Amino acid sequence: MNWLGSLYETYQACYGRPREDSAVLMPIAHTTQQAHIEIVLDAAGRFRRAEVLNKGHGTTLIPCTEASGGRAGSKPTSHPLSDKLQYVAADFVKHGGDVTSGFSADPGEPHRVYLELLSGWAASSHGHPKLDAVLHYVRKGHVVSDLVTHGVLPVDEDGKLVKAWPSSKDQAPAIYKSLPPGQVPEDAFIRWSVEGDGLATGTWQDATLMDAWIAYYGKIQTLHGYCMVRGENTTLAVQHPAKLRNAGDKAKLISSNDDTGFTYRGRFTDAEQVVGVGYETTQKAHNALRWLIERQGSRSGDQAIVSWTVVGTPIPNPVSDEDDEFSYAGLVTDVSAGQVFARKLKQTIEGYRHVLKPSQDVHVIALDSATPGRMSITFYRRLRGSEFLDRLHRWHERFAWQQNYGRERQFVGAPLPRDIAQAAYGRRLDPKLEAATRERLLSCIVDQMPCPPDLAKSAFKRAVNRSGLDKWDWEKCLGVACALHKGIHTKEDYTMALEPDRTTRDYLYGRLLALAESLESYALDLVEEKRDTSAARLMHRFSTNPFSTWNQLEARFLPPYKTRLRSRRPEFLAAREKQLDEVHVAFRHEDFVSDAPLSGEFLLGYHCQRAALRQKKTSASDDPPAEPAID
């Protein structure tokens, strides 16, 4: 229960503290709903006006019970104050409204249950003037009629609610534009405003009304027992909250079948024997988790990953989906990119060390759907702040490389887990496969587990197969593949700059291909011929049969270009041939004549040589012209 206890403590530490972000840490016994219609009453419960809320602007905090907070199925139970028309309007059926299928035998049941719940709350010692106004109004039984009279809900000639607008959508009433696809006006969710002397008129804005519901609901709960999280006897939760990852999320972390199922039969006589969690504990813990995911979590499909400290100290997300702060633009063409990156990375980490105490705990949790209604914790770690930052630092330091994601995004840094997944499996990646890859990499970052070699191998295969990728996808894949090889093979101590003294076979073959591609590309540019070079087209074959492919390049494809350069740019050709000779002589003979496939190191040599050729020359008149810059 560490994760639940930590989330409870997070709520206790962060609730009520002013925040600059838009995420709201909700009070307990409340949930959010998308309201479509707002009805304004006066303090005596008389109808004043109603308006349709624009789509996306109706997010409303409403009181809820345990059952209504996670309601589902054919007989969803009512919320205590704001709800859909079938609950709040006594004349719903009269105007042709269809109740949910489970209520078909008794269409008046939803409104009757709603009225009982509302009346009980209003009659208690925790009543509220706004609550009295709403109760007084709904008891009159003409909510739908008022909305029809004021043009909010359309009806046909018989006074029945129109389900589908028969003519042009442009001329449809506003309610159709407020509802999500597939819903009809009778599905509209109602929220209340009560105009009085106070500043807050919306029921969802009134803190005194929220407190009144929390106090009342605490009194009417009947299940008491031992809370295993807080270690005390208290009111136990019967059901646990849903909507953790988004407003439509029905999956729960803690749930049990009812006593007609077979989940715990044969082991326990009732669900509470399996685990007991206090109502307040689970409400606060789930609200904190929901808030953290919305505020600083990373989501991919059904997967959500979030890291936090109990007191809300800002910490980096190990799998951030955004352009993260550990990558640095402007270093791509810098020959000392590695050193500059290391210095900037250290400064960023040190910045976090100033606010995150070494002994302060950092929690990292990953959630994913086990079934449509069940959610599982697929990853949870609790580690010291200093340890967390050390591991994050190590990951970014090991896997940093020069990345080129297109005209708008060039940087030095470690690729994001999402980008690694796309480099390994393609841009049209199945969300489940992406989530599984992110989870594998999360373990590499937080636990310092070895990076899966299959990811590096897959990224390498895609990077050398240039014909299957467009320009920027290939550039991105190339940078990611280099980063993975560098991060996995730490003993080789690769740098981000060209290493002229490195004489390993794969590295040298990478340099050869980059030089050949440069020579050919320059010759094509001279005659403004736009096509792929032979070196680029043969890259995949080069990676599997380097010796034979190089012989083919050198004997068959390069001579015509050398002839062209010899007549028009002899100084360029001389410089390139000099560089080719330098790489050739660095080979051991048995390495050069071997046709064994190349490893990911081949891409590092290729990438570094190409980057070196693109550096602008400012001296030495016999130097060849600079390669086109990355743009």
Side-chain angles (χ1 to χ4, degrees), residues 156-374:
D156 58 19
E157 296 175 348
D158 299 326
K160 306 297 183 184
L161 292 169
V162 175
K163 299 182 186 300
W165 188 246
S167 56
S168 170
K169 291 183 179 180
D170 296 336
Q171 299 174 350
I175 185 64
Y176 287 96
K177 299 171 184 173
S178 176
L179 292 165
Q183 290 198 357
V184 294
E186 65 188 55
D187 297 324
F189 194 98
I190 307 296
R191 74 181 188 188
W192 308 101
S193 276
V194 181
E195 291 183 341
D197 297 332
L199 292 176
T201 59
T203 54
W204 66 96
Q205 299 168 315
D206 195 327
T208 61
L209 186 62
M210 297 177 200
D211 293 340
W213 168 251
I214 294 170
Y216 171 70
Y217 191 57
K219 286 183 64 175
I220 64 174
Q221 289 176 299
T222 56
L223 181 63
H224 298 277
Y226 186 75
C227 173
M228 296 182 181
V229 179
R230 298 173 61 189
E232 61 184 23
N233 286 313
T234 183
T235 303
L236 292 184
V238 178
Q239 297 187 37
H240 299 268
K243 300 183 181 179
L244 294 177
R245 295 166 296 188
N246 53 64
D249 186 12
K250 297 294 185 183
K252 294 182 179 180
L253 276 171
I254 307 173
S255 62
S256 64
N257 280 10
D258 58 27
D259 53 11
T260 60
F262 290 87
T263 301
Y264 54 80
R265 271 189 184 179
R267 300 178 184 176
F268 309 99
T269 57
D270 56 67
E272 287 71 36
Q273 291 177 352
V274 182
V275 62
V277 181
Y279 171 76
E280 185 179 327
T281 304
T282 190
Q283 285 280 317
K284 291 184 174 179
H286 281 83
N287 282 356
L289 182 56
R290 183 185 297 115
W291 174 67
L292 288 167
I293 290 174
E294 182 180 355
R295 181 171 180 257
Q296 61 203 56
S298 168
R299 281 176 282 191
S300 172
D302 290 338
Q303 184 192 62
I305 299 173
V306 65
S307 56
W308 80 97
T309 64
V310 165
V311 295
T313 306
I315 59 171
N317 187 331
V319 292
S320 171
D321 289 332
E322 307 299 330
D323 295 344
D324 70 278
E325 57 202 306
F326 299 110
S327 63
Y328 302 97
L331 302 177
V332 179
T333 57
D334 193 336
V335 292
S336 60
Q339 295 176 354
V340 178
F341 171 81
R343 187 168 63 250
K344 289 180 176 290
L345 176 63
K346 186 177 179 181
Q347 289 172 350
T348 305
I349 292 292
E350 288 302 317
Y352 279 108
R353 291 190 198 281
H354 282 299
V355 295
L356 183 63
K357 297 177 182 175
S359 58
Q360 198 171 346
D361 286 339
V362 170
H363 305 263
V364 183
I365 195 169
L367 310 172
D368 208 345
S369 290
T371 67
R374 303 283 189 274

Side-chain angles (χ1 to χ4, degrees), residues 97 146 220 250 265 300 364 449 458 469 473 498 540 545 551 571 573 579 596:
D146 286 344
I220 64 174
K250 297 294 185 183
R265 271 189 184 179
S300 172
V364 183
M449 297 295 289
S458 182
L469 304 173
D473 196 14
L498 180 64
H540 181 261
N545 303 93
N551 283 338
E571 70 285 356
L573 177 63
Q579 290 169 311

Side-chain angles (χ1 to χ4, degrees), residues 67 109 322 368 376 378 382 480 488 540 550 590:
E109 182 181 351
E322 307 299 330
D368 208 345
S376 62
T378 57
R382 175 179 177 174
V480 174
I488 291 174
H540 181 261
W550 174 252
E590 58 271 28

